[in-house]
Amino acid sequence: MNLETFFNNFDLLADAPNGVQKLKELILQLAVMGKLVPQDENDEPASVLIDNIQFQKQLLLKEGIIKKEKPLPVIEADEIPFELPKGWEWVRLDNLCELITKGSSPKWQGVNYVESGNGTLFITSENVRNYFVSLEKSKYVEDKFNQIEPRSILKNNDILMNIVGASIGRTAIYESNEIANINQAVCLIRIVAQSTLINLTYLLHFFNSPICISFMFDKQVDNARANLSMGNISKFPIPLPPLAEQHRIVAKVDELMALCDRISERQQKRRETRIKINNAAIGQLLTAREPEVFNKSWQHICNNFDLLYSTPDNIGKLRQAILQLAVQGKLVPQDENDEPASVLLEKIKFEKELLVKQGKIKKFEKLSPVKADEVPFALPKCWNWVKLQDIFIVITDGDHQPPPKTESGIPFLVIGNVRQGVINFTDTRFVSEEYFLSIDEIRIPRKGDILYTVVGSYGIPVIIDTEQPFCVQRHIAILKPSKLLELIYLKYLLKSELIFSQSTNCATGIAQKTVPLNGLRNIIVPLPPINEQKKIAFKVNQLMSLCDELETKLTQSVTNSEKLMETAVRQILAANSNKTDKDEFAFLETIPAETTKLETKTAGRRNKKTQDGEALQLNLPGFE
């Protein structure tokens, strides 16, 4: 397979992570290595072009336009990253230039900024983007700046390069006849005879290629802000093709970049379509009030499972939909023989009253009952809407007194220790045993309690499954559930969007949101019969395991796609340019086959996903 055929089919590789960007980098890499278009032995070699440029520089020297420069060092073998095709030459950038300089700060020169149109256009690094100069946020300075800094006055077709800070290496051509100047963060590169002897767009492609970017990172100086010096820029080794080939390279790069943009646009449209379909499908499912509508909506998800859940990122929405179905009573069938939640609620109330009498907990202020206009959806028969405080013995938080730190002792957990949904005792602070024993009993977490983050990264529930003693900061709530409830159901309830949205609504603060304990206690929640709680917990565990499996397979598929891309790029760049096209790119003949194998595996996985989706449908009760 030749390069033309390869690039006509490279959309097969574009689905790899960041695939389009990697293809663009590969295009530029191939371009400056002389592997993108065929060489023509009839082209005037680059050596002649260099001689012509040197002749023009001598004329400029005689006319006093430029000054005599010190000879540049010869390009050494260890500076050459690859072998060039016949007719090409390595040359220092300064050998091609009439001028390499940078601007200055108006403040340093005692020059003021002025209103638009009342002075000289002033280009800063903010204006210099990759491949174009943006004048959306143009600045202007007093015209006297040009008298102070005449060397950095811009001409049409000057190349501008950012040389300071995070935008180092962004390069563009100034394509305007408007008089302008630059600041100290921008380098001006003026090629001899400009576009007459060198195709400036070819140079622009080189400056934006991985080859040149690696030069820039090797040469940048790390001061307060990273920067490139004029001396280092002037010594950049440039792979220079014959002028005719420069034009062919630019045309080919333009063609392939346009193809990349079209692929990227198609990918974006697919992503947007997938999101819209997914949101609509889940929305219909969750808002369905009739059995027929619910079953039809679920069938729609099953039929489009491949489209909706084809990337790891989409699995999160599936998980949240499962939790929402669970708390709506749509995940498992109801049993009319189950003891209703109202009876369970009375038992919990009795349990709490007994603990109050025993002095183990304090009597909390009675909360107002749940009003009809507060409930977001109808519940199945035998379920009840309750306040969160109604089903927990205690809802409190960690000790509010800043604890004295010790090198060892009792672990003191902060949000960072529970942010992943499990308790992590690594990198833990400690408090003394004396401090730990001084904490109120209700503020000490015990096995079977649930931790719930309430500050910053709020809304993360964690079941305590260890006997190890520890305490928590006040940014973590401690929820001590009734022993009459199913703990796993409570965890999934707290992870649901229903609870998270209410936590968000009652959260206070701007820079760092905080869910107040009183707001948390007043959150309304659906309470199923205890038997149904257990069935819901079992079913959610099953479905979350399925999500884990899907996520693993999708992640592996993405990894395989990424490896395929890396292999293709590595081998094509390692190919010996002295071989014939057939030999040089013989390995590319295997790319479609390998891709087909990957697609076949993916198709098999997608079939499995659809089967899993159908299995979900068979196991979901609807409104039975």
Side-chain angles (χ1 to χ4, degrees), residues 221-252:
V221 178
D222 292 319
N223 293 325
R225 296 178 70 191
N227 67 89
L228 285 170
S229 70
M230 298 300 97
N232 283 329
I233 293 173
S234 67
K235 294 173 186 174
F236 279 171
I238 309 293
L240 189 66
L243 182 58
E245 189 170 346
Q246 292 178 37
H247 296 319
R248 293 197 299 273
I249 289 171
V250 168
K252 191 62 180 178

Side-chain angles (χ1 to χ4, degrees), residues 47-331:
S47 58
V48 176
L49 179 59
I50 292 172
D51 289 342
N52 291 335
I53 292 172
Q54 291 306 309
F55 176 76
Q56 291 296 325
K57 290 190 75 168
Q58 289 301 316
L59 293 179
L60 293 172
L61 184 61
K62 288 180 181 179
E63 294 172 9
I65 296 176
I66 63 174
K67 296 180 179 180
K68 188 173 182 179
E69 302 165 339
K70 294 180 180 179
L72 293 169
V74 175
I75 298 176
E76 302 292 342
D78 61 358
E79 293 182 86
I80 299 175
F82 51 83
E83 183 181 350
L84 292 177
K86 185 178 179 181
W88 288 47
E89 295 288 340
W90 284 104
V91 60
R92 300 280 188 195
L93 176 61
D94 199 37
N95 289 136
L96 308 177
C97 294
E98 173 184 327
L99 176 65
I100 297 178
T101 190
K102 65 178 180 179
S104 181
S105 165
K107 183 179 179 180
W108 297 345
Q109 306 299 347
V111 176
N112 298 315
Y113 286 98
V114 295
E115 293 296 324
S116 174
N118 293 331
T120 295
L121 177 64
F122 194 65
I123 303 296
T124 69
S125 58
E126 185 180 7
N127 302 113
V128 180
R129 310 293 177 82
N130 283 325
Y131 283 98
F132 71 98
V133 176
S134 172
L135 298 179
E136 289 183 6
K137 298 180 180 179
S138 300
K139 296 178 181 178
Y140 289 81
V141 293
E142 293 175 301
D143 290 332
K144 66 179 182 179
F145 187 85
N146 291 332
Q147 299 169 0
I148 300 171
E149 295 288 347
R151 278 174 57 84
S152 53
I153 297 174
L154 299 184
K155 292 183 179 180
N156 185 39
N157 285 330
D158 280 345
I159 295 174
L160 302 180
M161 177 186 293
N162 287 348
I163 57 173
V164 176
S167 65
I168 278 182
R170 288 204 310 232
T171 311
I173 298 174
Y174 181 70
E175 297 178 293
S176 173
N177 289 313
E178 181 177 0
I179 295 176
N181 216 309
I182 56 177
N183 76 348
Q184 71 280 6
V186 179
C187 173
L188 184 164
I189 301 170
R190 183 170 298 151
I191 304 300
V192 172
Q194 293 186 313
S195 60
T196 305
L197 298 177
I198 298 288
N199 187 310
L200 297 181
T201 304
Y202 169 77
L203 279 183
L204 203 58
H205 289 327
F206 169 73
F207 290 135
N208 285 282
S209 71
I211 293 290
C212 190
I213 290 172
S214 68
F215 289 162
M216 293 176 186
F217 279 105
D218 287 343
K219 300 299 183 183
Q220 72 180 18
V221 178
D222 292 319
N223 293 325
R225 296 178 70 191
N227 67 89
L228 285 170
S229 70
M230 298 300 97
N232 283 329
I233 293 173
S234 67
K235 294 173 186 174
F236 279 171
I238 309 293
L240 189 66
L243 182 58
E245 189 170 346
Q246 292 178 37
H247 296 319
R248 293 197 299 273
I249 289 171
V250 168
K252 191 62 180 178
V253 169
D254 289 345
E255 174 190 338
L256 295 174
M257 290 297 184
L259 176 58
C260 284
D261 290 338
R262 290 196 298 272
I263 292 173
S264 181
E265 185 177 349
R266 289 200 301 269
Q267 289 176 337
Q268 180 61 27
K269 286 182 178 179
R270 285 200 301 269
R271 285 191 290 268
E272 291 173 355
T273 299
R274 186 181 296 118
I275 291 171
K276 289 179 181 178
I277 294 175
N278 194 17
N279 290 343
I282 290 177
Q284 290 174 357
L285 183 71
L286 297 178
T287 57
R289 296 187 178 274
E290 301 296 331
E292 296 79 9
V293 177
F294 176 84
N295 292 329
K296 183 179 179 180
S297 299
W298 183 253
Q299 187 61 51
H300 177 69
I301 288 179
C302 294
N303 293 341
N304 294 278
F305 209 72
D306 173 47
L307 174 64
L308 299 177
Y309 305 111
S310 57
T311 66
D313 295 339
N314 292 346
I315 302 301
K317 290 190 175 182
L318 178 59
R319 293 183 194 275
Q320 199 52 242
I322 290 169
L323 295 179
Q324 192 72 353
L325 290 171
V327 301
Q328 287 185 358
K330 297 179 180 180
L331 199 60

Side-chain angles (χ1 to χ4, degrees), residues 469-514:
F470 66 90
C471 52
V472 298
Q473 67 176 162
R474 63 185 181 86
H475 295 167
I476 301 175
I478 305 165
L479 286 66
K480 295 180 177 292
S482 165
K483 293 181 173 58
L484 301 174
L485 299 176
E486 170 57 46
L487 193 58
I488 303 299
Y489 170 77
L490 293 179
K491 175 186 175 181
Y492 287 134
L493 174 66
L494 291 167
K495 288 185 70 173
S496 70
E497 178 61 27
L498 174 67
I499 305 303
F500 184 80
S501 61
Q502 292 183 74
S503 295
T504 300
N505 290 338
C506 71
T508 60
I510 298 175
Q512 191 175 51
K513 292 288 187 180
T514 299

